[in-house]
Amino acid sequence: MFKSFNGLELKSSEYEGRYLIATRDIQVGEDLLKCKSYFAVTSETLKTTSCFNCIKQLPSVIKLSLKCNQCNEIWYCNEQCKNENINKHQHYECKFYKKLKSPKLKVYPNFDIETFTEIRMIVGLLSRYYQDILLNNKFIEQLNNNNNNNNNNNNNNNNNNNNNNNNNNNNNNNNNNNNNNNNNNNNNDEQLTNTLEDVFDLVENQVTEESNPAAKERIDSIVNFISELFNLVLLGSTTTTTTTTTTTTTTTISSSIINDNKIEMIKKINEKSRSIIHKTRCNQFGIWTKNDKCIGVAVSPSSSYFNHSCIPNCTDVRDGSDMTFKSLYPIKKGDQLTISYIELDQPIQDRKDELKYGYYFDCICPRCNGDSNSIDSMDNWISKFYCTQKKCTGLYYSKSIIPFLNTLTSNHEIQLSCSNCNNIKIVSPFFFNK
């Protein structure tokens, strides 16, 4: 994870958790952060028409033909996407996905479609915990170019002597250039990646019987379902038992030891599952089509450090499971960088309720807690950025940086695009005046 990146600095406080501030003045349309999600899943309803690798939907409603033949639960849009993902998928979540609809899982009939999408996400993360942490069996990308690598190594050995002299001359210049680049911190094209440890490090908001009884009941059901699922896959039964029959055969004793180890691992998975649910519910991002249809969800810890505001200064633009965060309007050095977690064109109480019951926190932004005059002013200001397309919840942003905004004349045209549907809006520089 990063502490500073491209004009951003990660801070923390007891009340707000971790958040980002601007370490310099930021112009309209800047790329502030580019993130690749740690893990993403397609929606349960659209999994046969959306690619599990790139999390993109085909233009038509034709079902995808390429799928994982082991679990029959995920599909791919082309051979390239399948080749990029299938081995990793089968290393981690495949065998658990295969049993998701098993009649042996007692809780399963009570779940709706959205809950199954959430379960796919949680099981994917816990399967990584099982393999990477408990078994110490991390997935390693396979290289298909062994022969080419051997040839390249031979060529490289021959070229090393020639390159050494050139490298010595170039190193000083490169070091100076690198130092300048690091100081300028202009890593606009760098895409941050995340690890499982970053996911575990996410802030979670506890869901209790007192704070949200309906959510608590649903989470309890999910935890029980996942416990049954891991028991079924790892032990062949939906219930854990430590009772073993006395026997003198070495094979049975070895099998008993293996089962005991698996039982201990399942206990650790059960201990981890509730926390993972709390973390993902607060931090996951929906992946939307241009017509505002959610085709999947993604967990990207580095993206989760943008706190919510009902009058945000940034927006996220999603491309499958990848995200770019853009500045909506000029941001001053020292200001906190915020995005909106919800649809902004709602009354105050509706916004507060959605954040309370969907993300488990009380909104304290000025648009929710100011006096009536200031709230009206903020409503008018942020509403300028709402997409004008029917049912679209995106915000207008500039795809390119607009420098020296205050020097532009009123007849200068600035093109904005919707973060969801790409609808175009032409504005003047005065559009950004508060």
Side-chain angles (χ1 to χ4, degrees), residues 117-305:
T117 302
E118 180 178 11
I119 287 172
R120 285 157 65 90
M121 167 61 73
I122 303 303
V123 169
L125 294 174
L126 288 174
S127 68
R128 282 152 176 76
Y129 172 66
Y130 171 66
Q131 288 285 357
D132 293 359
I133 307 299
L134 299 182
L135 294 182
N136 193 24
N137 183 32
K138 289 187 177 182
F139 176 76
I140 300 174
E141 298 284 353
Q142 299 297 314
L143 299 177
N144 296 321
N145 298 321
N146 290 331
N147 292 333
N148 291 337
N149 287 339
N150 291 333
N151 292 334
N152 289 336
N153 286 336
N154 292 331
N155 291 334
N156 287 338
N157 289 332
N158 292 332
N159 291 330
N160 277 342
N161 292 331
N162 294 331
N163 289 337
N164 281 339
N165 291 331
N166 292 332
N167 286 339
N168 289 334
N169 293 329
N170 290 333
N171 277 342
N172 290 332
N173 292 332
N174 287 338
N175 286 337
N176 291 333
N177 290 335
N178 287 336
N179 287 335
N180 290 333
N181 287 336
N182 288 334
N183 290 333
N184 290 333
N185 216 4
N186 290 326
N187 299 318
N188 287 345
D189 293 328
E190 184 177 347
Q191 190 179 58
L192 292 182
T193 56
N194 303 277
T195 66
L196 183 60
E197 288 72 20
D198 295 328
V199 175
F200 290 159
D201 200 36
L202 287 170
V203 174
E204 63 181 280
N205 293 328
Q206 296 288 335
V207 180
T208 64
E209 189 71 36
E210 293 74 25
S211 65
N212 195 329
K216 171 67 165 52
E217 182 180 0
R218 179 45 54 98
I219 290 173
D220 287 346
S221 296
I222 294 173
V223 169
N224 292 335
F225 175 85
I226 290 174
S227 178
E228 286 189 2
L229 176 64
F230 274 81
N231 272 284
L232 179 62
V233 173
L234 300 183
L235 296 175
S237 169
T238 58
T239 56
T240 300
T241 176
T242 56
T243 304
T244 55
T245 303
T246 304
T247 179
T248 57
T249 61
T250 304
T251 303
T252 306
I253 292 173
S254 299
S255 176
S256 177
I257 293 173
I258 292 172
N259 280 346
D260 286 345
N261 288 337
K262 288 182 177 179
I263 289 169
E264 286 303 311
M265 290 181 182
I266 290 170
K267 288 180 180 178
K268 291 180 179 179
I269 290 167
N270 291 342
E271 292 168 359
K272 186 69 69 174
S273 63
R274 187 177 298 274
S275 173
I276 290 294
I277 293 169
H278 289 165
K279 291 177 187 294
T280 55
R281 284 198 164 198
C282 297
N283 294 285
Q284 69 184 4
F285 288 79
I287 302 169
W288 302 84
T289 62
K290 290 181 180 180
N291 58 352
D292 226 21
K293 183 185 294 183
C294 185
I295 61 172
V297 289
V299 170
S300 174
S302 52
S303 307
S304 299
Y305 295 136

Side-chain angles (χ1 to χ4, degrees), residues 26 46 50 79 102 105 157 184 211 226 243-244 267 286 293 305 329 334 353 391 406 415 419-420:
I26 292 173
L46 301 173
S50 304
E79 288 287 353
S102 171
L105 299 172
N157 289 332
N184 290 333
S211 65
I226 290 174
T243 304
T244 55
K267 288 180 180 178
K293 183 185 294 183
Y305 295 136
Y329 49 86
D353 288 345
K391 295 185 178 181
N406 58 351
Q415 179 175 297
S419 57
N420 280 4

Side-chain angles (χ1 to χ4, degrees), residues 335-379:
D335 284 354
Q336 185 175 161
L337 303 176
T338 58
I339 61 173
S340 175
Y341 297 174
I342 60 172
E343 180 183 349
L344 290 173
D345 190 13
Q346 302 182 76
I348 291 177
Q349 195 56 51
D350 289 355
R351 298 199 307 269
K352 284 188 169 185
D353 288 345
E354 185 174 349
L355 292 166
K356 177 69 174 179
Y357 296 108
Y359 294 88
Y360 315 121
F361 70 85
D362 295 308
C363 186
I364 59 169
C365 79
R367 190 175 167 217
C368 287
N369 295 275
D371 58 66
S372 58
N373 290 334
S374 63
I375 288 175
D376 287 343
S377 176
M378 285 183 277
D379 284 347

